């Protein structure tokens, strides 16, 4: 959701009220079909080593349209370390943008890689309030420079292995209304647009930033007032574009770059003509069968219904799963509620991360946005002040870390069995001979549980990492197993990640 500094979603027409639970309805947030509702053998939680679910491609943040303010921040290196460093979230995915303002007229070819990006932080350019009226040219320049500087910095310093880029709008001259807001891509420009995306891959690849994946259409069914483009319906516009233009072009010129499609604002069906990502992806797969000839990722965004403030159903993309297409949650945040750094906010998000992993079977979760200068909503994991010095993290940052820091890239989720009525939830992951279990206790009292690793043999103790109101990833005493079972205690209102090994 790129709000262009306007942090409220417009109301959609043709209301159709869906949704399952609000951020605060812990009691209604049940585990999905991949998690049983009854424990076995009088054991509270059973992790089934032999029942594998989706592969975990990793966790990340988008910086995209907020690259300018992070680029200008005097503690930008500290903030980057908080997101990507081993002592921070240790993220492996960074989502950027293919800006519409790269090419403004026919014949443009530059992606501005020759712009000076290593300017001293006392340069007056950094004192500009990029979002203020009249500063649009400076904003565009700061976004281009900022994204390039941030991405190169992250590439040089951290273990980021996936740079992905989405398009909010193609260049305005390619569109029906000549604007980077609303409108649609003219069919006469389909091939030129595919060539444009390929050229971007070449340009960024030339400076060591070869994209892992490109999404040609961010939130394709939402005519936003900020940078946007309509692809309606996706079956005869976006699907056709990928099958006939982008797919063949990338197969020839960018064979290693994956194509992301979907990315609607809501995960499942919601308001009238606006469909959620699940059905958008389903219809494109049904009516454009050749799309699976290309390396694709089905994606969605996880925003609440802007009217009811409720989540649409968090469900698997069954059509994509039937085609063995990985599913990513490429954007999620909270643009509606007042800014919070509380443990309640952190627990709300831990529950939601769990549900997307275990109910929607996503392989990746990407937060919008990593760092941004807004303390009015909860869109950022990290608040960076416009004074260019102050910053703040909260409990949603920390509970996200209980997933991102301890679930290795390439892990497989394994089925977990437990009673979902007890106010806690557990997810399990294996990677070689190691395993991770993320346990969330939403109760006001601590819970002591038996945790069994089934159908394998443990080799020693597990260690827990606790986040609650007063702790952040605090290392707990090790716990020895008895007959592959660990007795674990979850403090009240906490997230505890356990790590261990099997034979």
């Amino acid at each position: 959701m790129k709000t262009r500094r306007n942090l409220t979603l417009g109301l959609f027409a043709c209301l159709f009220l869906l949704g399952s639970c609000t951020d605060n309805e812990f009691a209604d947030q049940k585990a999905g079909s991949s998690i049983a509702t009854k424990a076995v053998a009088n054991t509270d939680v059973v992790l089934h080593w032999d029942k594998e679910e989706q592969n975990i491609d990793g966790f990340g943040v988008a910086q995209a349209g907020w690259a300018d303010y992070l680029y200008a921040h005097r503690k930008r290196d500290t903030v980057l370390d908080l997101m990507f460093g081993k002592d921070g979230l240790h993220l492996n995915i960074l989502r950027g943008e293919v800006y519409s303002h790269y090419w403004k007229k026919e014949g443009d070819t530059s992606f501005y890689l020759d712009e000076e990006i290593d300017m001293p932080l006392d340069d007056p350019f950094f004192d500009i309030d990029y979002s203020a009226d009249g500063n649009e040219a400076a904003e565009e320049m700061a976004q281009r420079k900022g994204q390039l500087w941030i991405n190169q910095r992250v590439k040089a310093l951290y273990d980021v292995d996936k740079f992905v880029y989405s398009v909010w709008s193609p260049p305005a001259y390619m569109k029906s209304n000549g604007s980077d807001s609303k409108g649609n891509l003219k069919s006469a420009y389909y091939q030129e647009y595919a060539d444009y995306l390929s050229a971007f891959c070449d340009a960024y690849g030339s400076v060591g930033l070869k994209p892992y994946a490109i999404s040609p259409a961010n939130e394709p069914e939402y005519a936003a007032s900020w940078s946007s483009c309509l692809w309606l319906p996706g079956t005869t516009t976006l699907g056709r574009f990928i099958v006939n233009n982008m797919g063949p072009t990338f197969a020839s010129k960018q064979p290693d770059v994956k194509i992301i499609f979907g990315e609607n604002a809501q995960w499942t069906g919601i308001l009238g003509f606006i469909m959620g990502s699940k059905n958008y992806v389903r219809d494109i797969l049904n009516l454009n069968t050749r799309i699976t000839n290309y390396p694709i990722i089905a994606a969605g965004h996880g925003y609440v219904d802007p009217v009811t403030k409720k989540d649409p159903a968090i469900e698997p993309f069954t059509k994509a799963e039937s085609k063995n297409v990985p599913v990513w949650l490429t954007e999620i945040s909270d643009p509606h509620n007042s800014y919070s750094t509380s443990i309640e906010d952190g627990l709300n998000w831990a529950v939601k991360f769990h549900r997307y992993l275990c109910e929607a079977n996503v392989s990746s979760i990407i937060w919008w946005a990593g760092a941004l200068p807004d303390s009015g909503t909860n869109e950022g994991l990290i608040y960076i002040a416009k004074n260019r010095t102050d910053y703040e993290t909260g409990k949603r940052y920390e509970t996200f870390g209980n997933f991102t820091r301890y679930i290795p890239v390439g892990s497989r989720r394994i089925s977990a069995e437990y009673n979902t009525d007890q106010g806690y939830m557990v997810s399990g992951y294996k990677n070689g001979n190691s395993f991770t279990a993320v346990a969330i206790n939403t109760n006001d009292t601590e819970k002591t549980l038996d945790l069994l690793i089934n159908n394998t043999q443990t080799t020693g103790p597990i260690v827990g990492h606790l986040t609650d109101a007063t702790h952040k990833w605090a290392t707990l005493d090790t716990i020895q197993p008895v007959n592959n079972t660990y007795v674990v205690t979850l403090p009240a209102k906490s997230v505890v990640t356990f790590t261990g090994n099997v034979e």
Side-chain angles (χ1 to χ4, degrees), residues 19-291:
S20 57
C21 53
T22 66
D23 282 352
N24 295 315
E25 290 172 332
F26 284 130
D28 293 334
Q29 292 173 321
K30 307 294 187 184
S33 58
S34 62
I35 297 182
T37 59
K38 182 180 179 182
V40 298
N42 297 317
T43 301
D44 297 305
V45 181
V46 180
L47 296 182
H48 294 284
W49 191 264
D50 59 339
K51 295 182 180 180
E52 296 184 350
E53 306 293 345
Q54 78 272 24
N55 188 70
I56 302 300
D57 293 326
F59 301 90
V61 292
Q63 207 53 47
W66 293 106
D68 43 9
Y69 283 97
L70 180 54
Y71 178 49
H73 202 272
R74 296 185 184 279
K75 295 182 180 177
R76 60 193 185 184
D77 283 318
T78 299
V79 173
L80 288 177
D81 207 52
L82 287 169
M83 292 190 286
F84 299 100
K86 292 186 182 299
D87 294 329
L89 297 179
H90 200 191
L91 302 173
N92 73 299
I93 302 173
L94 178 57
R95 180 175 179 241
E97 181 173 355
V98 185
Y99 295 114
S100 61
H101 47 76
Y102 282 128
W103 292 4
K104 292 195 172 185
K105 62 182 186 304
E106 294 272 10
D108 283 348
T109 59
S110 176
F111 289 95
Y112 297 92
L113 301 182
D114 55 349
E115 287 184 330
E116 175 58 47
I117 61 174
D118 293 316
M119 302 185 297
L121 282 169
D122 58 0
D123 191 293
F125 179 76
F126 290 122
D127 292 323
I128 298 171
D129 185 352
Y130 303 117
S131 61
D133 290 343
N135 290 340
E136 289 79 10
E139 179 185 25
E140 291 178 358
M141 182 180 295
Q143 287 176 346
R144 294 193 303 262
K145 288 186 174 188
Q147 176 166 280
L148 186 59
W149 184 90
I150 290 166
N151 290 16
Q152 287 189 319
R153 189 75 169 166
V154 166
K155 178 72 172 180
L157 296 179
Y158 306 109
D159 299 326
V160 173
D161 63 345
K162 297 177 180 71
F163 290 89
V164 301
Y165 302 88
S166 294
V167 180
W168 273 251
S169 172
Y173 72 84
M174 298 184 185
K175 295 175 65 182
S176 60
N177 62 351
S179 170
D180 69 356
S181 176
K182 306 180 182 180
N184 59 271
L185 180 69
K186 294 179 181 178
S187 58
Y189 279 96
Y190 273 23
Q191 186 55 49
E192 184 171 335
Y193 181 47
D195 293 338
Y196 166 78
L197 297 177
S198 177
F200 174 84
C201 292
D202 285 338
Y204 263 53
S206 72
V207 292
L209 297 171
K210 186 71 172 182
Y212 177 82
I214 294 284
S215 167
N218 174 77
E219 298 186 356
E221 291 204 338
Y222 184 31
S225 58
W226 52 88
S227 186
S228 62
C229 181
L230 286 171
W231 297 80
L232 297 173
T235 51
T236 56
T237 54
L238 185 60
R240 178 161 58 90
F241 166 73
I242 293 173
V243 166
N244 295 334
N245 303 98
M246 186 177 181
T249 299
F250 273 47
S252 174
K253 299 180 179 179
Q254 315 294 340
D256 298 327
V257 180
K258 302 180 187 300
I259 298 171
I260 297 174
F261 72 105
E263 291 209 298
N264 287 33
Q266 279 72 40
W267 191 254
T268 49
I270 184 166
L271 298 170
F273 189 56
I274 306 297
M275 70 169 64
S277 298
K278 177 181 178 178
N279 289 346
Y280 195 83
V281 164
R282 177 203 64 196
D283 290 353
I284 287 178
L285 287 171
N286 279 338
L287 295 179
N288 299 274
T289 56
R290 288 184 293 132
I291 198 171

